[in-house]
Amino acid sequence: MKIDTSLLRTILPLLESCYGFKIQEIQSELLIVYDKQSQERRLDKELHEKHSYEEGEHKYIRVTDYALATEDKVTITTTNNFKEKAETIIALCKNNLRQDETYYKSIASTLVVMAAILNRNENGLSPNEDIDKINWNIDTYALQVRPDLLRLYIARHKGKNKYHKSCYIKFGYATESVEIQTMYPWFEKMLDRYLYKFLGVENVEEAERELRQIYGQKVGAKLNETAARLIWGTYHLLQTVPGMKSPQKNSVTNAQSRFIHEYLSILELIDPIEVEPTSIRGRLNNLLKKYSTIKEVLDKRSYKSSPNNDNDWKLF
């Protein structure tokens, strides 16, 4: 799917405010815009200078900002059947926004872009493996590795005995444990140095506080983040259209729930027969009671990165 950068700039505020969209989600696609212009020797010198900065003796370009500011097309790779989905989404908007033609293009474009990103992500079609790998590493460290390191730090530093005469390591459930450092606590010393450098906590209390505040379990069933994002976001997108806006704050109309139901059906996130519009309305009412912002819906907590990782995480 191709989208003009000018149109993307226009709908970016809607993508951000309604869906919690970050431009980094299409960072690899914008990098391709820059690379293509560079190879074809048609970089805009004025924009290039505007989005460049110096650091020490070197000069860098903010590639994402540059590409977004150009007059070009961004390609989001999708499956072969996505064109049909996009056309159905456009038809959905035409059928429901006839009285609001001023809003029609931006609403339809926003819905199609979110659908394209979903299609790309679910089918592993992002064009830049290196950036995907970096993003995956960031998420993996913050969400999976760091809490394990915090627990390991607490286990190492809580109590009187800092070093032990021996240490046992076991991988999985089926293997036998291996005894190491029987003569000298080399492993624990190496482990302490690693944790000090790459974890960046000063004491057990700090580690326990981060585990509790950042990684503590929330009460209640875990949300399907993708569905919640699209339900919440599409509701607030419709709230920007006078003819579709609900009369009271945080209230949901039948027209809104039907629209969202059809949109999710097109995206194949729900079975339209098994899930009725009233179910979407109930789900949305629950979201509106529990959360005030899309950030809360997506549970974007203040995850920390490693303080001394060379890849943390400057791309350009």
Side-chain angles (χ1 to χ4, degrees):
M1 186 201 80
K2 294 182 183 293
I3 180 171
D4 293 335
T5 50
S6 58
L7 178 56
L8 185 57
R9 291 194 299 270
T10 300
I11 66 174
L12 191 56
L14 291 173
L15 288 165
E16 292 173 340
S17 62
C18 297
Y19 295 97
F21 174 84
K22 301 295 183 184
I23 199 63
Q24 288 77 13
E25 293 185 55
I26 55 169
Q27 194 169 48
S28 52
E29 286 82 358
L30 291 170
L31 177 59
I32 289 174
V33 171
Y34 178 86
D35 286 344
K36 186 178 179 182
Q37 288 191 10
S38 179
Q39 292 169 9
E40 296 174 356
R41 297 184 179 181
R42 56 183 182 90
L43 290 173
D44 187 307
K45 292 182 179 180
E46 186 176 339
L47 283 178
H48 200 277
E49 186 64 28
K50 179 180 178 181
H51 295 290
S52 297
Y53 67 99
E54 293 183 359
E55 191 172 287
E57 299 178 355
H58 302 283
K59 194 169 186 177
Y60 300 91
I61 173 73
R62 297 183 182 89
V63 175
T64 301
D65 293 339
Y66 168 85
L68 188 61
T70 62
E71 298 303 320
D72 211 318
K73 291 184 181 293
V74 179
T75 301
I76 301 175
T77 306
T78 54
T79 55
N80 293 331
N81 67 338
F82 182 76
K83 183 179 179 181
E84 181 180 343
K85 291 180 183 291
E87 290 174 347
T88 308
I89 292 170
I90 292 170
L92 170 65
C93 292
K94 282 184 178 179
N95 293 335
N96 289 273
L97 305 176
R98 292 193 191 96
Q99 70 277 30
D100 293 290
E101 292 184 6
T102 306
Y103 302 87
Y104 159 69
K105 185 175 182 180
S106 60
I107 298 298
S109 299
T110 302
L111 292 171
V112 170
V113 167
M114 288 305 302
I117 292 171
L118 174 66
N119 182 277
R120 180 202 66 182
N121 293 348
E122 289 195 334
N123 293 283
L125 298 174
S126 183
N128 193 310
E129 292 182 0
D130 291 336
I131 290 179
D132 280 352
K133 184 177 180 181
I134 289 173
N135 289 335
W136 182 85
N137 284 338
I138 294 171
D139 291 340
T140 301
Y141 175 82
L143 299 177
Q144 299 176 31
V145 176
R146 188 170 177 86
D148 281 347
L149 292 180
L150 288 168
R151 284 187 283 269
L152 186 57
Y153 178 90
I154 292 168
R156 286 285 308 124
H157 292 83
K158 198 169 188 177
K160 296 181 179 179
N161 296 325
K162 187 171 183 180
Y163 298 114
H164 303 82
K165 292 181 180 180
S166 63
C167 177
Y168 294 86
I169 297 178
K170 186 175 182 180
F171 300 95
Y173 295 102
T175 58
E176 294 183 359
S177 60
V178 178
E179 184 180 5
I180 61 173
Q181 65 171 40
T182 54
M183 302 295 292
Y184 179 78
W186 61 269
F187 180 75
E188 287 176 291
K189 287 179 178 290
M190 289 174 59
L191 192 57
D192 287 344
R193 286 196 293 269
Y194 179 89
L195 291 172
Y196 178 78
K197 180 177 181 180
F198 291 102
L199 192 55
V201 294
E202 296 296 329
N203 50 55
V204 170
E205 290 74 20
E206 184 181 338
E208 289 179 331
R209 184 167 56 251
E210 183 178 342
L211 270 179
R212 182 174 63 255
Q213 293 178 349
I214 306 301
Y215 299 99
Q217 294 295 317
K218 282 196 167 185
V219 177
K222 187 176 180 180
L223 287 174
N224 178 318
E225 185 175 291
T226 299
R229 182 189 198 188
L230 290 167
I231 292 171
W232 170 280
T234 306
Y235 167 77
H236 284 87
L237 186 64
L238 294 176
Q239 287 290 87
T240 66
V241 182
M244 290 291 286
K245 185 177 180 179
S246 58
Q248 295 179 341
K249 183 180 178 181
N250 287 351
S251 64
V252 184
T253 66
N254 289 332
Q256 288 173 337
S257 58
R258 286 194 299 267
F259 187 102
I260 297 170
H261 179 270
E262 191 167 344
Y263 182 52
L264 296 181
S265 299
I266 295 168
L267 301 183
E268 299 180 18
L269 284 175
I270 61 170
D271 185 319
I273 298 176
E274 293 183 3
V275 179
E276 297 182 352
T278 52
S279 298
I280 298 299
R281 187 173 187 173
R283 175 70 179 278
L284 183 50
N285 278 323
N286 185 50
L287 288 171
L288 292 172
K289 287 179 183 177
K290 291 178 67 176
Y291 306 106
S292 300
T293 65
I294 184 63
K295 184 178 180 180
E296 293 176 3
V297 174
L298 299 179
D299 191 20
K300 297 302 183 187
R301 309 185 194 189
S302 300
Y303 295 110
K304 294 183 180 180
S305 58
S306 173
N308 288 295
N309 195 317
D310 293 337
N311 291 324
D312 197 19
W313 293 98
K314 186 175 178 181
L315 298 180
F316 309 111

